[in-house]
Amino acid sequence: MGGSESLSESSPPPPQPAAEKKHGVTKPISLAGPTEMDLQRNSELGNFLMNSGLYESEEDTAMREKVLQRIDEIVKFWVKQLTRKRGYTDQMVEDANAVIFTFGSYRLGVHGPGADMDTLCVGPSYVNREEDFFIVLHDILAEMEEVTELQPVPDAYVPVMKFKFQSISIDLLYASISLLVVPQDLDISHDSVLYNVDEQTVRSLNGCRVADQILKLVPNVEHFCTTLKCLKFWAKRRGVYSNVTGFLGGVNWALLVARVCQLYPKAIPSMLLSRFFRVYTQWRWPNPVMLCPIVEDELGFPVWDPRKNPWDRSHHMPIITPAYPCMNSSYNVSTSTLRVMVDQFQFGNKICGDVELNRVHWRALFEPYLFFEAYRNYLQVDIVAADDDDLLAWKGWIESRFRQLTLKIERDTCGMLQCHPYPNEYIDTSKPCPHCAFFMGLQRKEGVKVQEGQQFDIRGTVDEFKQEVNMYMLWKPGMEIYVSHVRRKQIPAYVFPDGYQRPRTSKHSTHHADKTSENDAKGYRSPSEGREIKRKQGDETAYVKLDKPGKRASISPQHPGSVSPERSSGGPLGSGKGTMGNDVRLGELDDCNPSSTIVRKFLNASTLKGGTKELEAKELAAKTYPTQELLVECGVMCGKTVEACLIGPNEDIEGMLKQIDSVVQDNKQIVEPSGKSVVGSDSRTPNLICKVSLFP
């Protein structure tokens, strides 16, 4: 009692400063809130999104809910039917259950009109994926009038059934968990759902678990959703929204945006959008983006860890999922696609800087990328099939393998030939059979001089890719693929909205080919758009009617009994004399941006201790870290000087983030953190900077 009296009579302790709350794996960069100008720009951004048609109507939202309810009824019926057929008791049949979960853009609240719905069906242990899901449920759906374009993809990394239900696109996954009866209120975020399941099931469950964790880890869900909606729209307009092609998909963009929200917890969407480009323009890949620390569990599933897993060290742009088991969601990114995305981040950063200075409007940021004006040379991939259903299946298979073509070209040219696969597909309605086409921009890597007449012969590379594609288990007569090299002036007319190519203005005059009447674009191009070579005057001043390239040959091996619709128009690629005409042998590329070829090799610290010619022992001993690893980059073609980096402690990431707001936005390189030892790198050659992977 006395103690309480003395406590009440004593003066209160002085107020303690509020501790800076930690969001994610580091402290925030800034706790600043919006200014008056930020609020005004935020209002303008919201109006722009609304006027761009990014929000669906209430009727469409209600339709989605009805479709989800209908799918839930179908899978419940399916599981009860299988339970009865397998001889379980009537009580078991009555209790049998399956539950539908959503993930992706719909779960995060950032879907727009016509967007796919990512769904997951969780069923009991005795209902399997191979037969029950992909055969029995498939047949049930196939007989329903509401279901169209049904396409099973059982061999995908995450097996999926794609279809349209009352015109709404559905991606349906399946996960069989180790329970005989699935409760209707199943908590999918709990790690217990992962007991006694295989890795395919873990990957199927991961989408829902990741979406739930993202929403828990961001400081403000509403601001996160608006910013993510902006970035998804921007990425699609700029041609970098496609996980399967080697860019980033929905979950990747969500994780990148969520990390920026953690770094600026009090920022509103207009601020977060600008900070997004500021952060990732200066991010030193392959430093990983993480929302929370990576933890291991007694369940023993592999998690992303470049210290233990050599394969993880080869990832170019690690974006780590926050739910156990933590994985790199962007393993599809290649050297070429990372280059394209960094270029686009720089474009976005420049535009946002001018938006903040009131020089341009937000719509300048969302100007479409002029892909067919960015390069001089392209690969055209034509896909044909006997009917629309066959084309849907055949195209889906080829799309899933398309990234391999990029990787093979990088491999076979030692990175000298850079690829820009474009995710958009184009349809030639004049073809006698169902058709679509994809394109890939090609250019030499920057910085290396080449001998006159030097060529890239990738015929064998393309042949290898086609052989793999043609191993499709569900191949049917009429399914064919044709790959050809085309110059910019040979791009077919059907890829342009008006059937012809726009005139290109001189880069020394009006920079942007389609700038708005208010000069919102201000002539800004991404670096790849700016690397244009002068064209002839005649091509710069007039609209050119584009016809289909004549006698553009195929390299497709023929299946027995099938006839190529273009086989009569020319010989197979490789039958020419190595010219740049109808050949895949790429010679004097107009976009000549050569560079040293770098191939990464990873050695542990003990391996390199004997290599004193490249690294002096005293330099290695200058810094000691708890987990030392060595990343060595070496040029294999010309015996380039070996460059090495020591992987520093995780404080290096925090040090990098602290510098981001203070760096002048004029394309300067961010200063290396002092906690890192860099050996042998040449600061005069920015393309040869040593890349450091950091892992906490």
Side-chain angles (χ1 to χ4, degrees):
M1 185 70 174
S4 63
E5 289 175 356
S6 63
L7 183 63
S8 62
E9 292 173 357
S10 63
S11 59
Q16 298 294 323
E20 188 177 343
K21 186 177 179 181
K22 185 175 180 180
H23 295 272
V25 295
T26 64
K27 295 179 181 179
I29 290 178
S30 172
L31 293 174
T35 64
E36 289 288 337
M37 289 303 300
D38 289 324
L39 293 171
Q40 180 180 336
R41 283 190 289 268
N42 195 64
S43 176
E44 293 171 353
L45 180 61
N47 291 335
F48 173 80
L49 296 179
M50 187 67 68
N51 295 334
S52 299
L54 299 185
Y55 295 91
E56 69 178 6
S57 65
E58 293 181 1
E59 293 78 7
D60 290 340
T61 300
M63 176 59 72
R64 287 182 184 273
E65 293 174 356
K66 290 180 180 179
V67 167
L68 277 177
Q69 183 178 358
R70 185 75 181 99
I71 294 175
D72 187 66
E73 293 171 355
I74 293 169
V75 297
K76 283 176 166 53
F77 167 80
W78 163 63
V79 168
K80 289 181 182 295
Q81 183 186 66
L82 289 171
T83 306
R84 183 177 292 107
K85 285 184 177 179
R86 297 207 166 122
Y88 287 97
T89 64
D90 291 343
Q91 184 61 48
M92 189 70 172
V93 172
E94 183 179 346
D95 294 339
N97 191 33
V99 182
I100 290 291
F101 294 89
T102 61
F103 61 102
S105 62
Y106 184 78
R107 174 70 180 90
L108 295 174
V110 296
H111 64 286
D116 296 350
M117 292 183 67
D118 295 313
T119 57
L120 167 70
C121 174
V122 177
S125 57
Y126 56 87
V127 176
N128 63 55
R129 180 188 302 107
E130 292 74 16
E131 296 180 4
D132 298 332
F133 181 71
F134 278 114
I135 296 178
V136 179
L137 181 59
H138 173 275
D139 292 345
I140 292 174
L141 294 172
E143 294 176 358
M144 302 182 66
E145 292 183 359
E146 305 100 314
V147 176
T148 58
E149 300 182 20
L150 182 59
Q151 179 189 2
V153 192
D155 297 325
Y157 184 71
V158 181
V160 60
M161 194 129 62
K162 296 173 176 284
F163 56 93
K164 285 188 176 182
F165 198 101
Q166 295 180 351
S167 300
I168 295 178
S169 296
I170 304 292
D171 285 358
L172 179 62
L173 313 182
Y174 179 70
S176 172
I177 61 175
S178 56
L179 294 174
L180 287 176
V181 177
V182 178
Q184 188 64 32
D185 59 350
L186 176 69
D187 181 6
I188 202 170
S189 297
H190 199 279
D191 288 351
S192 61
V193 300
L194 303 179
Y195 291 159
N196 297 321
V197 300
D198 58 21
E199 290 196 21
Q200 277 191 326
T201 301
V202 172
R203 291 195 291 267
S204 297
L205 292 164
N206 204 37
C208 296
R209 290 164 55 82
V210 166
D212 288 348
Q213 285 299 310
I214 290 174
L215 295 176
K216 291 176 183 177
L217 291 170
V218 294
N220 186 304
V221 172
E222 182 181 355
H223 292 168
F224 162 75
C225 291
T226 302
T227 308
L228 179 55
K229 187 179 284 286
C230 289
L231 264 300
K232 284 165 64 75
F233 182 50
W234 175 85
K236 291 174 182 177
R237 297 282 281 180
R238 303 302 295 177
V240 289
Y241 189 94
S242 174
N243 184 281
V244 70
T245 310
F247 295 108
L248 302 181
V251 67
N252 311 125
W253 291 107
L255 291 169
L256 291 183
V257 171
R259 186 68 184 112
V260 174
C261 290
Q262 291 181 336
L263 295 173
Y264 300 91
K266 295 185 179 180
I268 58 178
S270 61
M271 300 169 63
L272 291 169
L273 187 57
S274 175
R275 278 19 171 221
F276 177 93
F277 293 112
R278 185 179 304 176
V279 167
Y280 293 117
T281 293
Q282 299 169 26
W283 196 272
R284 289 190 300 277
W285 306 105
N287 287 330
V289 173
M290 299 183 295
L291 301 186
C292 59
I294 295 176
V295 296
E296 298 193 35
D297 192 275
E298 67 274 5
L299 294 176
F301 290 107
V303 298
W304 187 83
D305 188 346
R307 297 171 302 184
K308 299 178 181 178
N309 309 322
W311 176 252
D312 292 343
R313 300 173 190 166
S314 66
H315 294 165
H316 301 287
M317 192 182 189
I319 303 172
I320 310 305
T321 57
Y324 175 81
C326 298
M327 310 174 187
N328 176 21
S329 64
S330 53
Y331 62 89
N332 275 351
V333 174
S334 69
T335 302
S336 290
T337 53
L338 176 59
R339 171 191 62 86
V340 172
M341 285 187 284
V342 170
D343 284 353
Q344 293 303 322
F345 291 157
Q346 292 172 352
F347 166 84
N349 190 43
K350 209 163 192 178
I351 295 292
C352 284
D354 275 353
V355 169
E356 292 178 345
L357 295 174
N358 295 320
R359 293 177 179 174
V360 297
H361 189 271
W362 281 115
R363 62 176 168 269
L365 178 64
F366 300 92
E367 286 292 320
Y369 178 63
L370 303 179
F371 175 71
F372 292 108
E373 296 183 19
Y375 299 93
R376 291 294 182 117
N377 296 274
Y378 298 84
L379 281 185
Q380 178 174 337
V381 179
D382 290 285
I383 304 169
V384 296
D387 56 46
D388 291 336
D389 289 339
D390 285 356
L391 180 65
L392 184 67
W394 181 228
K395 179 190 70 175
W397 166 251
I398 293 175
E399 263 192 300
S400 71
R401 310 301 301 167
F402 198 45
R403 183 180 70 96
Q404 296 299 321
L405 180 58
T406 301
L407 296 176
K408 292 177 188 299
I409 291 174
E410 289 178 353
R411 178 200 66 193
D412 292 349
T413 63
C414 295
M416 296 286 285
L417 185 61
Q418 294 180 326
C419 310
H420 181 174
Y422 201 54
N424 293 10
E425 67 174 90
Y426 300 90
I427 299 173
D428 185 359
T429 55
S430 66
K431 294 278 186 184
C433 52
H435 161 272
C436 69
F438 292 91
F439 292 83
M440 179 184 290
L442 300 169
Q443 69 177 19
R444 281 197 179 96
K445 194 175 181 180
E446 298 178 359
V448 162
K449 295 180 180 179
V450 292
Q451 297 179 353
E452 186 175 354
Q454 179 181 351
Q455 295 181 330
F456 294 108
D457 188 348
I458 59 172
R459 291 173 295 182
T461 307
V462 176
D463 279 335
E464 179 185 343
F465 167 72
K466 289 186 55 57
Q467 288 174 5
E468 292 182 3
V469 166
N470 284 314
M471 293 173 65
Y472 183 43
M473 297 297 293
L474 302 178
W475 184 90
K476 297 179 182 179
M479 292 182 175
E480 297 295 343
I481 176 174
Y482 308 98
V483 183
S484 54
H485 163 246
V486 293
R487 290 179 180 269
R488 182 195 294 143
K489 62 185 178 181
Q490 297 173 307
I491 297 295
Y494 62 79
V495 308
F496 301 103
D498 300 320
Y500 52 81
Q501 190 172 15
R502 259 186 310 222
R504 297 184 67 256
T505 57
S506 170
K507 67 182 255 185
H508 300 294
S509 56
T510 329
H511 300 285
H512 206 290
D514 60 345
K515 72 173 188 175
T516 65
S517 59
E518 298 174 342
N519 291 323
D520 283 339
K522 283 289 181 183
Y524 291 128
R525 293 176 180 269
S526 69
S528 60
E529 287 177 290
R531 290 192 290 262
E532 302 288 353
I533 308 300
K534 294 180 181 178
R535 301 182 71 196
K536 296 180 180 179
Q537 286 288 343
D539 292 336
E540 295 174 353
T541 57
Y543 280 79
V544 181
K545 184 72 175 178
L546 296 178
D547 296 321
K548 292 180 292 184
K551 294 186 177 181
R552 191 164 41 77
S554 159
I555 64 167
S556 172
Q558 288 292 301
H559 284 278
S562 68
V563 179
S564 163
E566 293 188 6
R567 179 63 69 182
S568 61
S569 63
L573 286 174
S575 60
K577 297 180 181 180
T579 65
M580 285 291 291
N582 303 326
D583 210 331
V584 193
R585 185 196 301 262
L586 300 175
E588 293 301 313
L589 292 179
D590 299 319
D591 285 334
C592 189
N593 297 310
S595 155
S596 299
T597 301
I598 299 297
V599 176
R600 294 183 184 176
K601 291 186 177 179
F602 296 84
L603 306 174
N604 57 35
S606 61
T607 304
L608 200 72
K609 286 181 180 177
T612 55
K613 290 185 178 180
E614 279 76 27
L615 297 176
E616 297 292 339
K618 61 181 181 181
E619 295 182 37
L620 281 174
K623 299 286 184 182
T624 58
Y625 301 111
T627 56
Q628 286 192 353
E629 276 196 33
L630 204 56
L631 165 61
V632 177
E633 295 188 347
C634 58
V636 292
M637 292 192 66
C638 306
K640 297 292 181 184
T641 303
V642 172
E643 302 191 27
C645 295
L646 285 176
I647 295 181
N650 58 355
E651 285 80 4
D652 283 358
I653 290 183
E654 190 162 352
M656 174 182 68
L657 295 175
K658 287 180 179 178
Q659 299 178 61
I660 286 178
D661 262 3
S662 62
V663 174
V664 179
Q665 301 301 307
D666 59 356
N667 295 326
K668 289 182 179 179
Q669 293 289 335
I670 191 167
V671 179
E672 294 287 340
S674 58
K676 185 192 322 176
S677 174
V678 179
V679 184
S681 62
D682 186 351
S683 61
R684 295 169 298 176
T685 55
N687 286 325
L688 297 180
I689 59 172
C690 200
K691 295 181 174 63
V692 181
S693 293
L694 299 180
F695 188 84

